[in-house]
Structures are given as structure tokens and as C-alpha cells.
Amino acid sequence: MALTPTSLLTCLISSALFTVLTWMLLKVDVTLKTVGRYICFFLAIIVVRMLLPVEFGFTITLSSRHILTELKELLLSGVSFGTYDITAGEVLRFIWIAGAVGAVLIRIVQHRCFVRMLERCTGYFRHDIRTIIDRINKDYGKDKHFQVLLVPQMRTPAIYGLAQPKILMPHNDYTEKELNFILGHEMMHYYHRDMLVKMLCEILCIVYWWNPIVHLLRKIIARVIEINVDCRLTAGFSNEEKIEYLECIVKSMKEGAQPKSAMMIMFASQRGSAMKQRFQCIWDNHWLDKGRKGFFIALASCLLLLVSVSFIVEADYDIDIPGTFEYPDSETSYLIESDRGYEVYIEEEWIGWVKEITEPFTELEIYKDKENITNEE
């Protein structure tokens, strides 16, 4: 198992294709009605693929003599910064790492500000909130303690935290039934480990901060998570109760600045087509339809992941050596190791690269760099 530039590129291309395909499928109503809940399998393979941008022992290498070769030559081209000479690839690697560090620092600052804000908040004491939580816990067969806080800065209810979950409530005047809807929704997020999924998405966004596909993937996962919880919560609802639940969501959809935290899932943060789709799934409730198709979709997803890691396209640096000689003179010819393979120098003139040492180069000296040649002379 090895991480290489081309294995990373192959991972990014395959993940982008999978993500765009999932986004297109989610926009089709028929998809939601037939295989909606099983999209989770497809999303899981995208996440796993992005976490494994490597080539394995069984990976088959395909050669590219054009685009990848030119791209790799560009990455290995020299860039000068004063007295320092580095490659373009090293510059991009530095920018990537610096951006990821910056993304981590931004989230740390946001988290500290968010925690300080919560420390100034009081408990939410409207209605008998503890009785409602105990009743919902009993329905779920759980006994986790949830702290409920009144957070005036919030525009919509949310759940926050992993070990010590907090349900954050805005200054809305909710009825007891609406509180049952909201608390049931947020507690289900916690019990379904959606907070862990949220954290994993944030990690991907930090690592691939420059990749818009990853941010699209995060939005898709957030949409699927909300629909899944909504449909599970309302599975046994009558039409009247569904209407009341939808009205509760609309009541919580307030515009305005919202405190930010990577460890928070909000009750009604989506807008536009995403919210319309969410309402449709709640009303029709085809999301939880069961059948043998789930097995086949899971199997297809695993096969797709296997295919995506089974092939890698590598730049081909093989060259045609001029036919003016059979064996280069070892006194004036040599090889220099490089990321591209071996640079070939014939009569001290650069000819090109070879990927492997074959005839007629087997008798030539191999050097780490040109400085070694100078020192030996």
C-alpha cells in the first residue's frame, strides 16, 4: 500500500465521479422513492475511497504517455525562490499542508468561541423538558442525559457535542408537542451516531480543503442524514401529525447569522430544493421501504469501491533511444535517479527518462544527483 501522486489523482477523479453521480440521483424523485435509504451505501464508499488515496499490491497500473506525463513533468519542474530551488509539486504540497493547518486553526477558534458562548447560556425551562426527554429516551430504549440550553444567538434548534450532548434551543415559543418533535429529532441524530458522520465530513473538508467536490459531498451527506431522521421519526405519524411536524420545521426556519461549530447538526438549516425534497420524503415516506434491493445496492457499492482501487493510471516515461549506438560508453554516459525513474545522459548530454533499467543501460553508473558526479571527478 503506497501513496503516490498518481494514486491520489486517481482517487480524486473516481470520488468526483461518484459524488456527482450521487448528486444527480438525489435530484430525481424516482430515486428517492425506490432506493432512497440505500444511497447511504454509495456515500459510504465515496468517503472510504477518499480516506484511502493509495495503490495496493493488487492495483493494476495503466500507462499514460500524454496528459499524465505532461502533468508530472510540470509538477517536477523547478521553481526558484531566491537561493532556494524546489519543484512545483513541492510548492503545491506546501500550500496544501498550510491550507489544512489553517482550516484546523479556524475550526479551533470557532469551537472555542462557541463553547464560551454556551457557557453564558442558561437552561431551557419551558414546559416539563426533563419529562419529555425521559419519555423519548424510553421510546428509544436509551438513557443518555441531554442538557437543553436556551441560546438566543441560535436561529434554529440544534444538537451539539459527542460525549456530553447538548440540545440548543432558540428563543422561539414552542408548544409541548413541537418540543416532542424537535427533541425526538435531535436525540435520534445522536443515537444514530450522525455526530460522528459530521465529524468525519469535517475531517475530509480539512484535508481536501481546496476540493469543491468534498464540500458538495458534505452537503449531500447532510441532506441524506436529515431525510433519514425525518422519515424514521414520522414513520408512524398520521397525516395530521405530519402536517404539524412540517409546520414545526417551517417555524424553525429563520434567516440570520448563525453561530458556527463543526460539531453541530441543526434542525432546519437547509433551504430551497433541499428542504422541498425533505418535505416530500416526510409526506410520502418511501424512504424506509424495505426489500431485497438493499442487498444488491450494497453489493454494487462494494464492487464499485473495489474497481476504483484496482486500477491506477501512471505516467509513462519510456523513451526511444536514437539508433546511432548499441551500448553507451560507460565513461561518458550514466543514469541519475529521479522521481520519474532514471534520467539518461549519453556522452554527458541529457536524452530523456526510462522507467526501468534495461538493455543497453545495465552497465551504466547510477548517481543520486549531478553533484555526486562532480565529486567523483
Side-chain angles (χ1 to χ4, degrees), residues 198-243:
K198 171 79 170 174
M199 178 183 290
L200 187 58
C201 289
E202 290 300 321
I203 292 173
L204 285 177
C205 287
I206 288 172
V207 174
Y208 297 99
W209 59 268
W210 50 269
N211 189 351
I213 291 296
V214 176
H215 298 278
L216 174 61
L217 176 63
R218 178 173 62 177
K219 289 182 179 180
I220 293 172
I221 291 176
R223 180 185 296 195
V224 170
I225 283 175
E226 289 300 333
I227 292 175
N228 186 55
V229 168
D230 284 333
C231 291
R232 289 182 180 279
L233 186 63
T234 61
F237 282 15
S238 64
N239 287 344
E240 182 180 349
E241 288 175 316
K242 288 182 180 179
I243 291 173

CSV table of all heavy atoms in Angstrom, one decimal, residues 198-243:
chain,number,residue,atom,x,y,z
A,198,LYS,N,-20.8,13.6,11.0
A,198,LYS,CA,-20.5,15.0,10.8
A,198,LYS,C,-19.0,15.3,11.0
A,198,LYS,O,-18.4,16.1,10.3
A,198,LYS,CB,-21.3,15.8,11.8
A,198,LYS,CG,-21.0,17.3,12.0
A,198,LYS,CD,-21.6,18.1,10.9
A,198,LYS,CE,-21.5,19.6,11.2
A,198,LYS,NZ,-21.9,20.4,10.0
A,199,MET,N,-18.4,14.7,12.0
A,199,MET,CA,-17.0,14.9,12.3
A,199,MET,C,-16.1,14.4,11.2
A,199,MET,O,-15.2,15.0,10.8
A,199,MET,CB,-16.6,14.2,13.6
A,199,MET,CG,-15.1,14.3,14.0
A,199,MET,SD,-14.7,13.4,15.5
A,199,MET,CE,-15.5,14.4,16.7
A,200,LEU,N,-16.5,13.2,10.6
A,200,LEU,CA,-15.7,12.6,9.5
A,200,LEU,C,-15.8,13.5,8.3
A,200,LEU,O,-14.8,13.7,7.6
A,200,LEU,CB,-16.3,11.3,9.2
A,200,LEU,CG,-15.5,10.4,8.2
A,200,LEU,CD1,-14.1,10.2,8.6
A,200,LEU,CD2,-16.2,9.1,7.9
A,201,CYS,N,-17.0,14.1,8.0
A,201,CYS,CA,-17.1,15.1,6.9
A,201,CYS,C,-16.2,16.3,7.1
A,201,CYS,O,-15.6,16.8,6.2
A,201,CYS,CB,-18.5,15.5,6.8
A,201,CYS,SG,-19.6,14.2,6.1
A,202,GLU,N,-16.1,16.8,8.4
A,202,GLU,CA,-15.3,17.9,8.6
A,202,GLU,C,-13.8,17.6,8.4
A,202,GLU,O,-13.0,18.4,7.9
A,202,GLU,CB,-15.5,18.4,10.1
A,202,GLU,CG,-16.9,19.1,10.3
A,202,GLU,CD,-17.1,20.3,9.4
A,202,GLU,OE1,-16.1,21.1,9.2
A,202,GLU,OE2,-18.2,20.5,8.9
A,203,ILE,N,-13.4,16.4,8.8
A,203,ILE,CA,-12.0,15.9,8.6
A,203,ILE,C,-11.7,15.9,7.1
A,203,ILE,O,-10.6,16.4,6.7
A,203,ILE,CB,-11.8,14.6,9.2
A,203,ILE,CG1,-11.8,14.7,10.8
A,203,ILE,CG2,-10.4,14.0,8.8
A,203,ILE,CD1,-11.8,13.3,11.5
A,204,LEU,N,-12.6,15.4,6.3
A,204,LEU,CA,-12.4,15.3,4.9
A,204,LEU,C,-12.3,16.8,4.3
A,204,LEU,O,-11.5,17.0,3.4
A,204,LEU,CB,-13.5,14.6,4.2
A,204,LEU,CG,-13.5,13.1,4.3
A,204,LEU,CD1,-14.8,12.5,3.6
A,204,LEU,CD2,-12.3,12.5,3.7
A,205,CYS,N,-13.1,17.7,4.8
A,205,CYS,CA,-13.1,19.0,4.3
A,205,CYS,C,-11.8,19.8,4.7
A,205,CYS,O,-11.4,20.7,4.0
A,205,CYS,CB,-14.3,19.8,4.8
A,205,CYS,SG,-15.9,19.3,4.0
A,206,ILE,N,-11.2,19.4,5.9
A,206,ILE,CA,-10.0,19.9,6.3
A,206,ILE,C,-8.8,19.4,5.4
A,206,ILE,O,-8.0,20.2,4.9
A,206,ILE,CB,-9.7,19.6,7.8
A,206,ILE,CG1,-10.6,20.4,8.7
A,206,ILE,CG2,-8.2,19.9,8.1
A,206,ILE,CD1,-10.5,20.0,10.1
A,207,VAL,N,-8.8,18.1,5.2
A,207,VAL,CA,-7.7,17.5,4.4
A,207,VAL,C,-7.8,18.0,2.9
A,207,VAL,O,-6.8,18.4,2.3
A,207,VAL,CB,-7.8,16.0,4.5
A,207,VAL,CG1,-6.8,15.3,3.5
A,207,VAL,CG2,-7.6,15.5,5.9
A,208,TYR,N,-9.0,17.9,2.4
A,208,TYR,CA,-9.2,18.3,1.0
A,208,TYR,C,-9.9,19.7,0.9
A,208,TYR,O,-10.8,19.9,0.1
A,208,TYR,CB,-10.1,17.3,0.3
A,208,TYR,CG,-9.5,15.9,0.2
A,208,TYR,CD1,-9.9,14.9,1.1
A,208,TYR,CD2,-8.5,15.6,-0.8
A,208,TYR,CE1,-9.3,13.6,1.0
A,208,TYR,CE2,-8.0,14.3,-0.8
A,208,TYR,CZ,-8.4,13.3,0.1
A,208,TYR,OH,-7.9,12.1,0.0
A,209,TRP,N,-9.3,20.6,1.6
A,209,TRP,CA,-10.0,22.0,1.7
A,209,TRP,C,-10.1,22.7,0.4
A,209,TRP,O,-11.0,23.5,0.2
A,209,TRP,CB,-9.2,22.8,2.7
A,209,TRP,CG,-7.7,23.0,2.3
A,209,TRP,CD1,-6.7,22.3,2.6
A,209,TRP,CD2,-7.2,24.0,1.4
A,209,TRP,NE1,-5.5,22.7,2.0
A,209,TRP,CE2,-5.8,23.8,1.3
A,209,TRP,CE3,-7.7,25.1,0.7
A,209,TRP,CZ2,-5.0,24.6,0.5
A,209,TRP,CZ3,-6.9,25.9,-0.1
A,209,TRP,CH2,-5.5,25.7,-0.2
A,210,TRP,N,-9.2,22.3,-0.6
A,210,TRP,CA,-9.2,23.0,-1.9
A,210,TRP,C,-10.1,22.4,-2.9
A,210,TRP,O,-10.3,22.9,-4.0
A,210,TRP,CB,-7.8,22.9,-2.4
A,210,TRP,CG,-7.2,21.6,-2.4
A,210,TRP,CD1,-6.5,21.0,-1.4
A,210,TRP,CD2,-7.4,20.5,-3.4
A,210,TRP,NE1,-6.2,19.7,-1.6
A,210,TRP,CE2,-6.7,19.4,-2.9
A,210,TRP,CE3,-8.0,20.5,-4.6
A,210,TRP,CZ2,-6.6,18.2,-3.6
A,210,TRP,CZ3,-7.9,19.3,-5.3
A,210,TRP,CH2,-7.3,18.2,-4.8
A,211,ASN,N,-10.7,21.2,-2.5
A,211,ASN,CA,-11.5,20.4,-3.5
A,211,ASN,C,-13.0,20.7,-3.3
A,211,ASN,O,-13.6,20.3,-2.3
A,211,ASN,CB,-11.2,18.9,-3.2
A,211,ASN,CG,-11.9,18.1,-4.3
A,211,ASN,OD1,-12.6,18.5,-5.2
A,211,ASN,ND2,-11.5,16.8,-4.3
A,212,PRO,N,-13.7,21.4,-4.3
A,212,PRO,CA,-15.1,21.7,-4.2
A,212,PRO,C,-16.0,20.4,-4.1
A,212,PRO,O,-17.1,20.5,-3.6
A,212,PRO,CB,-15.4,22.5,-5.4
A,212,PRO,CG,-14.3,22.2,-6.4
A,212,PRO,CD,-13.1,21.9,-5.6
A,213,ILE,N,-15.5,19.3,-4.7
A,213,ILE,CA,-16.3,18.1,-4.7
A,213,ILE,C,-16.5,17.6,-3.2
A,213,ILE,O,-17.6,17.1,-2.9
A,213,ILE,CB,-15.6,17.0,-5.5
A,213,ILE,CG1,-15.6,17.4,-7.0
A,213,ILE,CG2,-16.2,15.6,-5.3
A,213,ILE,CD1,-17.0,17.4,-7.6
A,214,VAL,N,-15.5,17.8,-2.4
A,214,VAL,CA,-15.6,17.4,-1.0
A,214,VAL,C,-16.7,18.2,-0.3
A,214,VAL,O,-17.5,17.6,0.5
A,214,VAL,CB,-14.3,17.5,-0.2
A,214,VAL,CG1,-14.4,17.1,1.2
A,214,VAL,CG2,-13.3,16.5,-0.9
A,215,HIS,N,-16.8,19.5,-0.5
A,215,HIS,CA,-17.8,20.3,0.1
A,215,HIS,C,-19.2,20.0,-0.5
A,215,HIS,O,-20.2,20.0,0.3
A,215,HIS,CB,-17.4,21.8,-0.2
A,215,HIS,CG,-16.1,22.2,0.5
A,215,HIS,ND1,-16.0,22.5,1.8
A,215,HIS,CD2,-14.9,22.3,-0.1
A,215,HIS,CE1,-14.7,22.8,2.1
A,215,HIS,NE2,-14.0,22.7,0.9
A,216,LEU,N,-19.3,19.6,-1.7
A,216,LEU,CA,-20.5,19.1,-2.3
A,216,LEU,C,-20.9,17.8,-1.6
A,216,LEU,O,-22.1,17.6,-1.2
A,216,LEU,CB,-20.4,18.9,-3.8
A,216,LEU,CG,-21.6,18.2,-4.5
A,216,LEU,CD1,-22.8,19.1,-4.3
A,216,LEU,CD2,-21.3,18.0,-6.0
A,217,LEU,N,-19.9,16.9,-1.4
A,217,LEU,CA,-20.2,15.6,-0.7
A,217,LEU,C,-20.7,15.9,0.7
A,217,LEU,O,-21.7,15.2,1.2
A,217,LEU,CB,-18.9,14.8,-0.6
A,217,LEU,CG,-19.0,13.5,0.1
A,217,LEU,CD1,-20.0,12.5,-0.5
A,217,LEU,CD2,-17.6,12.8,0.2
A,218,ARG,N,-20.2,16.9,1.4
A,218,ARG,CA,-20.7,17.2,2.8
A,218,ARG,C,-22.1,17.6,2.7
A,218,ARG,O,-22.9,17.2,3.6
A,218,ARG,CB,-19.8,18.3,3.4
A,218,ARG,CG,-20.3,18.7,4.8
A,218,ARG,CD,-19.3,19.6,5.4
A,218,ARG,NE,-19.1,20.9,4.7
A,218,ARG,CZ,-18.4,21.9,5.1
A,218,ARG,NH1,-17.7,21.8,6.3
A,218,ARG,NH2,-18.3,23.0,4.4
A,219,LYS,N,-22.5,18.4,1.7
A,219,LYS,CA,-23.9,18.9,1.6
A,219,LYS,C,-24.8,17.7,1.3
A,219,LYS,O,-25.9,17.6,1.9
A,219,LYS,CB,-24.0,19.9,0.5
A,219,LYS,CG,-23.4,21.3,0.9
A,219,LYS,CD,-23.6,22.3,-0.2
A,219,LYS,CE,-23.0,23.6,0.1
A,219,LYS,NZ,-23.1,24.6,-1.0
A,220,ILE,N,-24.4,16.8,0.5
A,220,ILE,CA,-25.2,15.6,0.1
A,220,ILE,C,-25.4,14.8,1.4
A,220,ILE,O,-26.5,14.3,1.7
A,220,ILE,CB,-24.5,14.8,-1.0
A,220,ILE,CG1,-24.5,15.6,-2.3
A,220,ILE,CG2,-25.3,13.5,-1.2
A,220,ILE,CD1,-23.7,14.9,-3.4
A,221,ILE,N,-24.3,14.5,2.1
A,221,ILE,CA,-24.5,13.7,3.3
A,221,ILE,C,-25.4,14.4,4.4
A,221,ILE,O,-26.2,13.7,5.0
A,221,ILE,CB,-23.1,13.5,3.9
A,221,ILE,CG1,-22.2,12.5,3.0
A,221,ILE,CG2,-23.2,12.8,5.3
A,221,ILE,CD1,-20.8,12.3,3.5
A,222,ALA,N,-25.3,15.7,4.5
A,222,ALA,CA,-26.1,16.4,5.5
A,222,ALA,C,-27.6,16.3,5.0
A,222,ALA,O,-28.5,16.1,5.9
A,222,ALA,CB,-25.7,17.9,5.5
A,223,ARG,N,-27.9,16.3,3.7
A,223,ARG,CA,-29.2,16.2,3.3
A,223,ARG,C,-29.8,14.8,3.5
A,223,ARG,O,-30.9,14.6,4.0
A,223,ARG,CB,-29.3,16.5,1.8
A,223,ARG,CG,-30.7,16.4,1.2
A,223,ARG,CD,-30.7,16.5,-0.3
A,223,ARG,NE,-30.3,17.9,-0.8
A,223,ARG,CZ,-30.5,18.3,-2.0
A,223,ARG,NH1,-31.1,17.6,-2.9
A,223,ARG,NH2,-30.1,19.5,-2.3
A,224,VAL,N,-29.0,13.8,3.3
A,224,VAL,CA,-29.4,12.4,3.5
A,224,VAL,C,-29.6,12.1,4.9
A,224,VAL,O,-30.6,11.4,5.3
A,224,VAL,CB,-28.4,11.4,2.9
A,224,VAL,CG1,-28.7,10.0,3.3
A,224,VAL,CG2,-28.3,11.6,1.3
A,225,ILE,N,-28.8,12.6,5.8
A,225,ILE,CA,-28.9,12.5,7.2
A,225,ILE,C,-30.2,13.0,7.7
A,225,ILE,O,-31.0,12.4,8.5
A,225,ILE,CB,-27.7,13.1,8.0
A,225,ILE,CG1,-26.5,12.2,7.9
A,225,ILE,CG2,-28.1,13.3,9.5
A,225,ILE,CD1,-25.2,12.9,8.5
A,226,GLU,N,-30.6,14.2,7.3
A,226,GLU,CA,-31.8,14.9,7.7
A,226,GLU,C,-33.0,14.1,7.2
A,226,GLU,O,-34.0,13.9,8.0
A,226,GLU,CB,-31.9,16.3,7.2
A,226,GLU,CG,-30.9,17.3,7.9
A,226,GLU,CD,-31.1,17.4,9.4
A,226,GLU,OE1,-32.3,17.1,9.9
A,226,GLU,OE2,-30.2,17.6,10.2
A,227,ILE,N,-33.0,13.7,6.0
A,227,ILE,CA,-34.2,13.0,5.4
A,227,ILE,C,-34.3,11.6,6.2
A,227,ILE,O,-35.4,11.2,6.5
A,227,ILE,CB,-34.0,12.7,3.9
A,227,ILE,CG1,-34.0,14.0,3.2
A,227,ILE,CG2,-35.0,11.8,3.4
A,227,ILE,CD1,-33.8,13.9,1.7
A,228,ASN,N,-33.2,11.0,6.5
A,228,ASN,CA,-33.3,9.7,7.1
A,228,ASN,C,-33.9,9.8,8.5
A,228,ASN,O,-34.8,9.0,8.9
A,228,ASN,CB,-31.9,9.1,7.3
A,228,ASN,CG,-31.9,7.7,7.8
A,228,ASN,OD1,-32.5,6.8,7.3
A,228,ASN,ND2,-31.1,7.5,8.9
A,229,VAL,N,-33.5,10.8,9.3
A,229,VAL,CA,-34.0,11.0,10.6
A,229,VAL,C,-35.5,11.5,10.6
A,229,VAL,O,-36.3,11.0,11.3
A,229,VAL,CB,-33.2,12.1,11.4
A,229,VAL,CG1,-33.9,12.6,12.7
A,229,VAL,CG2,-31.8,11.6,11.7
A,230,ASP,N,-35.8,12.4,9.6
A,230,ASP,CA,-37.2,12.8,9.5
A,230,ASP,C,-38.1,11.6,9.2
A,230,ASP,O,-39.2,11.5,9.8
A,230,ASP,CB,-37.3,13.8,8.3
A,230,ASP,CG,-36.8,15.2,8.7
A,230,ASP,OD1,-36.9,15.5,9.9
A,230,ASP,OD2,-36.4,15.9,7.8
A,231,CYS,N,-37.7,10.8,8.3
A,231,CYS,CA,-38.6,9.6,7.9
A,231,CYS,C,-38.7,8.6,9.0
A,231,CYS,O,-39.8,8.0,9.1
A,231,CYS,CB,-38.1,9.0,6.6
A,231,CYS,SG,-38.2,10.1,5.1
A,232,ARG,N,-37.6,8.4,9.7
A,232,ARG,CA,-37.7,7.4,10.8
A,232,ARG,C,-38.6,7.9,11.9
A,232,ARG,O,-39.4,7.2,12.5
A,232,ARG,CB,-36.3,7.1,11.3
A,232,ARG,CG,-35.5,6.3,10.4
A,232,ARG,CD,-34.1,6.0,11.0
A,232,ARG,NE,-33.3,5.2,10.1
A,232,ARG,CZ,-33.4,3.9,9.9
A,232,ARG,NH1,-34.3,3.2,10.6
A,232,ARG,NH2,-32.7,3.2,9.0
A,233,LEU,N,-38.5,9.2,12.2
A,233,LEU,CA,-39.3,9.8,13.3
A,233,LEU,C,-40.8,9.9,12.9
A,233,LEU,O,-41.6,9.7,13.8
A,233,LEU,CB,-38.8,11.3,13.5
A,233,LEU,CG,-39.4,12.0,14.7
A,233,LEU,CD1,-39.1,11.3,16.0
A,233,LEU,CD2,-38.9,13.4,14.8
A,234,THR,N,-41.1,10.1,11.7
A,234,THR,CA,-42.5,10.3,11.3
A,234,THR,C,-43.1,9.0,10.7
A,234,THR,O,-44.2,9.1,10.1
A,234,THR,CB,-42.6,11.4,10.2
A,234,THR,OG1,-41.8,11.1,9.1
A,234,THR,CG2,-42.1,12.7,10.8
A,235,ALA,N,-42.4,7.9,10.8
A,235,ALA,CA,-42.9,6.7,10.1
A,235,ALA,C,-44.3,6.3,10.6
A,235,ALA,O,-45.1,5.8,9.8
A,235,ALA,CB,-41.9,5.5,10.4
A,236,GLY,N,-44.6,6.5,11.9
A,236,GLY,CA,-45.9,6.1,12.4
A,236,GLY,C,-46.9,7.2,12.5
A,236,GLY,O,-47.9,7.0,13.1
A,237,PHE,N,-46.5,8.4,11.9
A,237,PHE,CA,-47.4,9.6,12.1
A,237,PHE,C,-48.6,9.5,11.2
A,237,PHE,O,-48.5,8.9,10.0
A,237,PHE,CB,-46.6,10.8,11.7
A,237,PHE,CG,-45.7,11.3,12.8
A,237,PHE,CD1,-45.4,10.5,13.9
A,237,PHE,CD2,-45.2,12.6,12.8
A,237,PHE,CE1,-44.5,10.9,14.9
A,237,PHE,CE2,-44.3,13.0,13.8
A,237,PHE,CZ,-44.0,12.2,14.9
A,238,SER,N,-49.7,10.0,11.6
A,238,SER,CA,-50.8,10.2,10.8
A,238,SER,C,-50.6,11.5,9.9
A,238,SER,O,-49.6,12.2,10.1
A,238,SER,CB,-52.1,10.5,11.6
A,238,SER,OG,-52.0,11.7,12.4
A,239,ASN,N,-51.4,11.7,8.9
A,239,ASN,CA,-51.3,12.8,8.0
A,239,ASN,C,-51.3,14.1,8.8
A,239,ASN,O,-50.6,15.1,8.5
A,239,ASN,CB,-52.3,12.8,6.9
A,239,ASN,CG,-52.0,11.8,5.9
A,239,ASN,OD1,-50.9,11.2,5.8
A,239,ASN,ND2,-53.0,11.4,5.1
A,240,GLU,N,-52.2,14.2,9.8
A,240,GLU,CA,-52.3,15.4,10.6
A,240,GLU,C,-51.0,15.6,11.4
A,240,GLU,O,-50.6,16.8,11.5
A,240,GLU,CB,-53.5,15.2,11.6
A,240,GLU,CG,-53.7,16.5,12.4
A,240,GLU,CD,-54.9,16.3,13.4
A,240,GLU,OE1,-55.7,15.3,13.2
A,240,GLU,OE2,-55.1,17.1,14.3
A,241,GLU,N,-50.5,14.6,12.0
A,241,GLU,CA,-49.2,14.8,12.7
A,241,GLU,C,-48.0,15.2,11.8
A,241,GLU,O,-47.2,15.9,12.2
A,241,GLU,CB,-48.9,13.5,13.4
A,241,GLU,CG,-49.8,13.2,14.6
A,241,GLU,CD,-49.5,11.8,15.2
A,241,GLU,OE1,-49.3,10.8,14.5
A,241,GLU,OE2,-49.4,11.7,16.5
A,242,LYS,N,-48.0,14.6,10.6
A,242,LYS,CA,-47.0,15.0,9.6
A,242,LYS,C,-47.1,16.5,9.3
A,242,LYS,O,-46.1,17.2,9.2
A,242,LYS,CB,-47.1,14.2,8.3
A,242,LYS,CG,-46.7,12.7,8.5
A,242,LYS,CD,-46.8,12.0,7.1
A,242,LYS,CE,-46.4,10.6,7.3
A,242,LYS,NZ,-46.5,9.8,6.0
A,243,ILE,N,-48.3,17.0,9.1
A,243,ILE,CA,-48.5,18.4,8.8
A,243,ILE,C,-48.0,19.2,10.0
A,243,ILE,O,-47.3,20.3,9.8
A,243,ILE,CB,-50.0,18.7,8.6
A,243,ILE,CG1,-50.5,18.1,7.3
A,243,ILE,CG2,-50.3,20.2,8.6
A,243,ILE,CD1,-52.0,18.2,7.0
